[in-house]
Amino acid sequence: MSAYDKVRERMAKMTVDLGKSRVAEDCAPRTGRIPEKERASTVPYKDPAFRPPDLTGRYRLPGGTQSLRELQNLVLHDLEHLPFEEHQPRGVVGLLGVGAGKTLLTILGPLATRAERPLLIIPADMREAFVQEYSQYGKHWRRPKNLRILSYNDISVASGEDKLRQLNPDFVAMDEVHNLASGDSARTKKMARFFQENPSIRALALSGTMTKKSVQDFAHIFGWILRDYNPLPMEKGELANWSSILDADGLPFPGAWSDIRGIYRHSGGSQKEEQEKAREAFGKHLASTKYVVSLPSKEKCEATIYLHQAKYTPPPAVEDALRAFEESWTRPDGEEIKWAFEAFRLRQQLSQGFYYKWDWNAPPWRGKVDKEWMDKRQRWNRACRAVLKRNLPGLESPLLVIRAIQAGTLDDGEASDAWDQWVGVKARPVPPTVPVWLDDSLARFSVDWAKKHKNRGLIWFQDKAMGEKLAEHGMKVYGAGQMPVLDGQVIAVSIRAHGTGKNLQAYNKNLVLSFQGSAARMEQLIGRTHRPGQNSDEVLVDFVAATPSGRDAVRAAVRRAQYLDAVQGN
């Protein structure tokens, strides 16, 4: 059965499950003053019987040998037939998994919309890979001659909005658009203004992992692209109600179930059961929405994935350091940790056998330790941590503690005095850090793994310190700005630099030294080798999770993967 046949069968079942058919031609866009929850619940649905023609001949060069995949046909057909009414969609949202051919869509999208000034926005670390693929695709496909490229970082900087206005694009493709998930970030606010100021612009938004834990991660993106076809309510209060039910850690607000009854009616089960059913119903609702392509793409990779926990036992030095940290929240060099994200990062590092400390030998210090800065910083960290341990209402984070001190509402003389002292020196330059190794057993384990597997293996590392240690042991290491040379030898690659957007299917064995607690990141990482074009029957993923923090990361990734599968409809 082809992908489209599977889609038609599933879409037909969706309309039955949801209790009514809402094919686009039978349902006009909602532009009147009706509640957002009603508009979102009754957005136009795609016709489950529709199958677009093969558009390969329209875009392929004479002599080209590649063909469009079925899902690429679907996206391009929708782009070719966008409506022109003000409140209807300006583009397509593609929730396409790893290996679905998103790069080619960003190249052909401008041609489908007949754009004259197309713009592509991608993560900065994907730029080099895109340029290479753009050149390779030029042997087979027509390409826009004036495609401009910006990174999400380019938009974040102060001049980012001016760059957008100067380029004045009439089509914008945004790959890995989850980089705009945070509504509070500068880049997201700038893009929101840009779309508001340019109502006629066409757009393509692509991501396989649109959300981490909340539908609010992508509600605004859907609003920019789909406008009145957004399957989520755009009114803040109603969106919050839907979110309280649908989110991974959601706790339903009073009255929220009545707001979402347009797509799911509470059937009297337990809260957990009802929320799981509501997420599945929303996933079907989203996947059915017109101008949304939310379909699994991994059916094109026939290789079986084998995930194994690597048989690695941490040495006593690592276990002792982790135990000591949990007892005191203090780094091995005496630095007090107060932020949860700092604690998470330190646990990950200690699990690998090292930690970072200040490098006072770097210029301008040159061996002269700023003891006043160190002492006052440490005193403040200790005092703040003591307040947090009391679990007082309204004092759940360091920022809230600082605000209480500034407002004079915290009755804690030590914390107040420590903050006053720290404020006087905190603006001083911060020294760089250097790794301190407790034990390099994990690096040596990686070398043994490489010898065992001999070829076509990738060793994935998170921290620069681990990459440097692997290089010391003779491994070929590829970090930021270095394209991996895939000559068959086992190599070490940075998760940050190469864990997304790279085609590494020439290899089929993976060792992950720092398991990613984010399901989205793990899917991206595994998708570097488990993707269309993988010629092996099996893809091996060994991962290290021998410490409590590693096991916690595995459990978190599993929970988030289940959530993603439900709410994205794929």
Side-chain angles (χ1 to χ4, degrees):
M1 182 182 289
S2 72
Y4 275 112
D5 292 332
K6 293 177 183 177
V7 171
R8 288 201 304 274
E9 179 180 324
R10 194 179 73 174
M11 296 287 286
K13 185 176 185 298
M14 288 177 188
T15 55
V16 172
D17 289 345
L18 291 169
K20 49 186 170 180
S21 176
R22 292 200 294 271
V23 177
E25 52 266 33
D26 297 326
C27 184
R30 287 4 184 219
T31 56
R33 291 183 176 276
I34 64 172
E36 271 294 293
K37 59 188 177 185
E38 182 179 338
R39 181 207 56 76
S41 298
T42 56
V43 293
Y45 276 3
K46 294 172 282 197
D47 182 351
F50 174 72
R51 181 172 184 169
D54 184 1
L55 302 175
T56 297
R58 191 171 300 177
Y59 297 98
R60 190 168 64 189
L61 290 171
T65 59
Q66 295 181 351
S67 297
L68 290 174
R69 299 172 189 165
E70 292 172 323
L71 303 184
Q72 291 171 328
N73 265 308
L74 192 59
V75 171
L76 291 171
H77 178 273
D78 280 355
L79 286 174
E80 288 181 352
H81 294 84
L82 289 172
F84 289 92
E85 286 76 7
E86 180 182 358
H87 296 285
Q88 291 188 355
R90 68 165 91 227
V92 175
V93 176
L95 304 183
L96 304 179
V98 171
K102 295 191 292 291
T103 299
L104 183 57
L105 286 173
T106 64
I107 295 171
L108 299 183
L111 302 179
T113 56
R114 299 178 181 176
E116 297 179 355
R117 301 178 305 281
L119 171 65
L120 171 63
I121 305 176
I122 54 177
D125 58 12
M126 286 178 57
R127 189 189 297 263
E128 184 177 355
F130 175 83
V131 171
Q132 290 187 359
E133 290 191 63
Y134 185 82
S135 176
Q136 293 167 0
Y137 279 129
K139 302 172 184 177
H140 303 274
W141 301 98
R142 296 168 53 209
R143 298 174 300 173
K145 298 178 180 179
N146 53 348
L147 179 65
R148 299 293 183 265
I149 303 175
L150 290 179
S151 72
Y152 291 104
N153 290 346
D154 290 334
I155 298 171
S156 296
V157 299
S159 61
E161 206 158 6
D162 290 336
K163 290 179 182 177
L164 284 172
R165 292 195 178 103
Q166 289 167 6
L167 291 173
N168 188 29
D170 54 357
F171 173 85
V172 176
M174 298 169 287
D175 198 3
E176 307 298 349
V177 73
H178 53 265
N179 282 275
L180 298 173
S182 173
D184 295 328
S185 71
R187 66 182 67 167
T188 302
K189 291 177 180 178
K190 291 173 184 178
M191 289 305 299
R193 284 194 295 269
F194 173 75
F195 280 118
Q196 186 175 13
E197 294 170 0
N198 297 274
S200 64
I201 197 169
R202 300 310 204 184
L204 174 63
L206 298 171
S207 176
T209 48
M210 189 70 79
T211 176
K212 292 181 179 179
K213 295 190 293 184
S214 174
V215 294
Q216 296 194 53
D217 290 341
F218 60 86
H220 56 285
I221 298 172
F222 275 54
W224 299 341
I225 310 300
L226 302 177
R227 297 193 275 210
D228 271 7
Y229 286 27
N230 186 352
L232 283 162
M234 292 181 277
E235 193 278 321
K236 189 174 181 179
E238 292 176 4
L239 176 60
N241 279 344
W242 283 42
S243 179
S244 73
I245 294 171
L246 300 174
D247 288 358
D249 301 319
L251 183 63
F253 292 161
W257 286 107
S258 63
D259 271 12
I260 206 170
R261 63 187 176 187
I263 63 169
Y264 180 74
R265 291 180 180 271
H266 197 290
S267 58
S270 69
Q271 179 173 298
K272 181 180 179 181
E273 292 172 341
E274 292 299 317
Q275 285 186 265
E276 288 176 351
K277 291 178 182 178
R279 290 174 190 134
E280 290 180 7
F282 175 76
K284 294 174 181 178
H285 170 66
L286 180 149
S288 300
T289 300
K290 192 166 175 58
Y291 296 103
V292 173
V293 179
S294 176
L295 305 170
S297 62
K298 296 184 183 66
E299 69 264 20
K300 293 296 184 181
C301 182
E302 302 297 336
T304 302
I305 302 178
Y306 290 97
L307 284 93
H308 296 142
Q309 181 172 338
K311 295 180 179 179
Y312 167 74
T313 302
V318 168
E319 293 184 332
D320 291 345
L322 285 167
R323 191 179 305 111
F325 171 70
E326 296 303 336
E327 291 173 355
S328 64
W329 267 48
T330 301
R331 217 165 55 192
D333 64 338
E335 177 78 9
E336 186 97 10
I337 301 298
K338 67 178 184 298
W339 295 94
F341 76 87
E342 290 178 318
F344 172 80
R345 187 166 56 200
L346 182 58
R347 290 188 188 102
Q348 292 281 71
Q349 293 164 357
L350 290 175
S351 296
Q352 297 173 73
F354 73 94
Y355 67 94
Y356 287 103
K357 73 170 187 176
W358 305 117
D359 181 14
W360 295 105
N361 290 318
W365 298 276
R366 303 189 187 282
K368 185 178 180 181
V369 178
D370 189 342
K371 195 170 184 305
E372 182 185 23
W373 184 88
M374 287 280 288
D375 290 346
K376 291 182 177 179
R377 184 177 190 274
Q378 188 168 334
R379 182 189 175 193
W380 161 241
N381 285 349
R382 188 179 300 114
C384 183
R385 182 71 187 153
V387 174
L388 295 173
K389 283 184 177 180
R390 289 155 60 186
N391 295 318
L392 299 174
L395 296 172
E396 294 88 359
S397 73
L399 181 59
L400 293 175
V401 173
I402 292 170
R403 287 178 177 173
I405 292 172
Q406 292 172 334
T409 58
L410 178 63
D411 185 16
D412 189 312
E414 169 59 16
S416 297
D417 188 55
W419 171 249
D420 289 342
Q421 293 293 314
W422 171 235
V423 166
V425 298
K426 69 188 294 286
R428 292 179 185 176
V430 178
T433 58
V434 290
V436 177
W437 282 89
L438 306 172
D439 193 291
D440 68 351
S441 292
L442 185 56
R444 287 185 276 111
F445 173 84
S446 302
V447 173
D448 291 340
W449 184 92
K451 291 177 181 178
K452 174 183 176 182
H453 291 281
K454 297 180 181 178
N455 56 46
R456 299 184 67 199
L458 301 171
I459 298 174
W460 294 94
F461 63 90
Q462 178 78 12
D463 294 274
K464 184 179 179 182
M466 178 56 77
E468 292 172 346
K469 183 60 67 173
L470 290 171
E472 287 179 19
H473 283 277
M475 295 290 304
K476 286 188 175 181
V477 176
Y478 296 92
Q482 301 171 310
M483 284 297 292
V485 176
L486 305 180
D487 58 4
Q489 296 185 56
V490 178
I491 58 176
V493 287
S494 163
I495 294 174
R496 288 191 179 95
H498 307 295
T500 61
K502 299 298 194 305
N503 298 330
L504 306 178
Q505 64 267 32
Y507 282 44
N508 72 320
K509 302 160 195 166
N510 303 268
L511 174 62
V512 184
L513 301 183
S514 183
F515 196 92
Q516 305 295 288
S518 163
R521 290 199 193 107
M522 278 307 299
E523 182 191 31
Q524 286 289 328
L525 189 154
I526 293 172
R528 298 312 97 212
T529 52
H530 188 264
R531 59 191 298 117
Q534 175 55 257
N535 294 321
S536 297
D537 293 331
E538 301 173 354
V539 170
L540 171 67
V541 181
D542 285 342
F543 59 89
V544 176
T547 61
S549 62
R551 291 187 286 272
D552 287 346
V554 173
R555 285 190 286 267
V558 170
R559 288 195 303 271
R560 289 166 185 168
Q562 292 168 340
Y563 167 71
L564 277 171
D565 280 347
V567 300
Q568 290 193 176
N570 57 7

